[in-house]
Amino acid sequence: MKILHTSDWHFGQEFYSYDRTEEHKSFLQQLRTIVADEQPDVMVVSGDIYHNSTPSNTVMRMFTDGLEQICSACPTMQVVVTAGNHDSSSRLEVTRNLWSHIGVTVIGRVEKEGNDINFDRHIIGIHDKHGILIGYVVAIPHIFAQSFPIINPEAPREERQYIFFKALAERVKEINTLGLPVVMTAHMAVTGSDITGHDEIRGGMEYIDLSTLQVDYDYLALGHIHCPQTIGRNARYCGSPIPVSFDERYEHSVTLAEIEGRGAEPLIRTVKINNPWPLKTFPKDALPFDEALEQLSKFPDDEKAYIRLNVRLDDVAPHNALERAAAVIREKKCRFCCFKWERPEAETVHKQTFADVEQMKSHSPVEIAEIYYSHRFGHPMNENLKTMLEQVVKRIETKEM
């Protein structure tokens, strides 16, 4: 069984207010070419189709048109799409019956029939071009830890995940009487995975041990973490096809996995995805603001790129920093996004801390501001700023403001 594994498309993302439609359409075109060349038995999309739960009609049309064209490149290929934590499960499932007519299975949520979970809906038989059953995909959408379905009402809350996956594993075993290869797909953060470049706060990182999954899979197609990596023998994050942040400085790709038979170690390879708008941070070593702007001015006029400028900051940032950077690239194709400020570590500044509130009250507001400033910027506050703060405090105290 040949599996094309991809995830974390994040369609609809605006990058520092820039529209990314051109990049996403380029990815879909490249994916169609890969499908046409490789002719996989199944394509697994492991969550985060969209960047937010309310994508625009234009973005949804891009997804549906793109997926239809991908399916036409290999009419015998089945497709399994699961919801990620950025997706709206109900929005994805609205058109699931229509998708089924061209071999696309959409799993947005765990479905219950009365008090029982419909596990069969999550176990999809995969057939080759001759219609012969060759394996199964076990598809699980993103489920927050507190939202796992209750199978045993008397079980402690922290055991819900384990009980859910144990019941799922038992049903997979009952169905797979021929001992065919099993691919499981899930959108989750696995304990011990490399989260380089991933924004843990925004992504909703709740870690789970692989041992909790219970299902005896031959390949685990993971989504959620954007850094491509193989965990253990047969679990893999394919990663995001285009970078979602400047810190995703690794190569972006989709994964192809081939399984010869039940219990065989999957043969894994990747296909690089080229982004027409690469994300670049320069200069390599942080420079003072004016020198960094000079480097930006030398960036080729006709080169497409998102730019983050690496600047060494010895004091506060210039108040018009963004305007000056925008002026430098006004006649260029590149898109300026932000600064990466680097401040030297303080070695000589005495970093005072307060043991309690009463100790803090013994200092004036300006003195507290000075202490914070030295912590934040690594050197003492200059006299001009100190004088302005003193004047502000005096006006407040005399009720002139």
Side-chain angles (χ1 to χ4, degrees):
M1 180 163 60
K2 181 187 281 190
I3 306 104
L4 175 56
H5 173 203
T6 178
S7 72
D8 296 277
W9 294 359
H10 288 273
F11 289 169
Q13 182 199 24
E14 287 191 355
F15 196 65
Y16 292 89
S17 300
Y18 294 111
D19 180 79
R20 305 196 78 178
T21 300
E22 180 183 348
E23 299 162 81
H24 292 143
K25 285 186 174 180
S26 173
F27 160 63
L28 287 170
Q29 291 167 359
Q30 292 176 69
L31 189 58
R32 185 185 188 282
T33 299
I34 294 168
V35 167
D37 292 342
E38 297 289 343
Q39 296 290 296
D41 297 303
V42 59
M43 182 175 79
V44 173
V45 188
S46 304
D48 280 358
I49 309 303
Y50 300 116
H51 191 63
N52 58 65
S53 60
T54 55
S56 68
N57 291 336
T58 301
V59 170
M60 289 190 290
R61 177 68 180 270
M62 178 180 65
F63 166 63
T64 55
D65 287 353
L67 188 55
E68 189 276 329
Q69 292 170 11
I70 289 166
C71 290
S72 69
C74 181
T76 60
M77 177 185 73
Q78 291 174 243
V79 179
V80 178
V81 178
T82 54
N85 60 300
H86 282 253
D87 298 313
S88 163
S89 58
S90 58
R91 190 179 296 273
L92 276 182
E93 290 217 350
V94 165
T95 54
R96 78 181 194 193
N97 291 335
L98 291 175
W99 279 120
S100 65
H101 291 289
I102 59 171
V104 178
T105 301
V106 177
I107 305 291
R109 58 186 173 84
V110 175
E111 186 175 272
K112 300 190 73 173
E113 294 181 345
N115 294 323
D116 298 322
I117 296 174
N118 182 11
F119 283 120
D120 289 8
R121 179 171 172 254
H122 298 269
I123 305 169
I124 302 111
I126 305 300
H127 302 78
D128 67 10
K129 61 183 179 181
H130 304 294
I132 299 173
L133 182 66
I134 58 173
Y136 295 92
V137 169
V138 180
I140 302 300
H142 179 266
I143 309 171
F144 288 102
Q146 68 273 16
S147 302
F148 269 80
I150 299 173
I151 295 177
N152 179 3
E154 297 180 0
R157 188 183 188 90
E158 60 271 16
E159 294 183 10
R160 285 184 188 174
Q161 286 181 326
Y162 180 87
I163 294 171
F164 172 85
F165 284 115
K166 184 179 179 181
L168 173 64
E170 290 172 353
R171 185 56 183 152
V172 172
K173 189 175 181 179
E174 291 171 357
I175 290 176
N176 189 17
T177 56
L178 298 176
L180 298 174
V182 173
V183 174
M184 184 174 178
T185 177
H187 191 88
M188 60 177 57
V190 170
T191 303
S193 51
D194 182 357
I195 61 170
T196 299
H198 197 100
D199 187 341
E200 191 166 1
I201 296 175
R202 291 186 68 250
M205 303 290 271
E206 297 174 312
Y207 293 92
I208 185 171
D209 289 329
L210 286 178
S211 60
T212 305
L213 301 185
Q214 301 293 303
V215 175
D216 185 16
Y217 52 78
D218 296 286
Y219 179 75
L220 176 58
L222 291 166
H224 191 28
I225 292 176
H226 296 177
C227 180
Q229 60 195 283
T230 300
I231 302 172
R233 173 176 168 270
N234 55 358
R236 180 165 176 81
Y237 285 102
C238 59
S240 51
I242 65 171
V244 177
S245 75
F246 279 105
D247 293 324
E248 294 183 21
R249 295 190 295 272
Y250 29 76
E251 185 174 277
H252 293 259
S253 60
V254 297
T255 294
L256 284 158
E258 296 185 57
I259 305 172
E260 289 297 326
R262 183 69 166 148
E265 184 170 351
L267 176 64
I268 296 173
R269 55 193 172 94
T270 61
V271 181
K272 181 181 178 182
I273 300 298
N274 296 305
N275 184 11
W277 284 89
L279 278 60
K280 296 187 176 184
T281 300
F282 71 88
K284 181 179 179 181
D285 297 316
L287 294 175
F289 181 75
D290 289 336
E291 294 180 35
L293 279 188
E294 178 64 24
Q295 293 292 312
L296 180 61
S297 70
K298 296 177 181 178
F299 193 81
D301 291 348
D302 58 351
E303 185 174 334
K304 294 180 178 180
Y306 294 102
I307 302 296
R308 178 172 68 170
L309 210 56
N310 199 7
V311 178
R312 188 176 75 238
L313 194 62
D314 296 320
D315 207 328
V316 295
H319 71 278
N320 59 347
L322 288 173
E323 290 84 352
R324 289 175 64 183
V328 169
I329 66 160
R330 187 163 291 132
E331 303 301 323
K332 300 179 185 292
K333 280 190 176 180
C334 66
R335 297 169 172 175
F336 179 78
C337 296
C338 63
F339 297 97
K340 182 182 180 182
W341 303 109
E342 292 192 10
R343 295 180 173 88
E345 289 293 328
E347 296 181 357
T348 59
V349 175
H350 175 62
K351 294 188 174 181
Q352 181 174 352
T353 57
F354 300 110
D356 52 38
V357 175
E358 292 304 317
Q359 187 180 3
M360 181 180 290
K361 288 180 178 178
S362 68
H363 290 73
S364 71
V366 175
E367 287 173 334
I368 293 174
E370 285 185 279
I371 292 168
Y372 169 80
Y373 189 97
S374 67
H375 274 279
R376 182 72 174 81
F377 298 107
H379 58 81
M381 181 185 295
N382 64 56
E383 289 301 318
N384 288 338
L385 182 55
K386 182 179 177 180
T387 299
M388 284 192 293
L389 281 173
E390 288 172 343
Q391 292 173 348
V392 169
V393 170
K394 184 177 180 180
R395 291 179 65 185
I396 292 174
E397 291 175 342
T398 57
K399 298 182 179 181
E400 292 181 10
M401 291 187 69

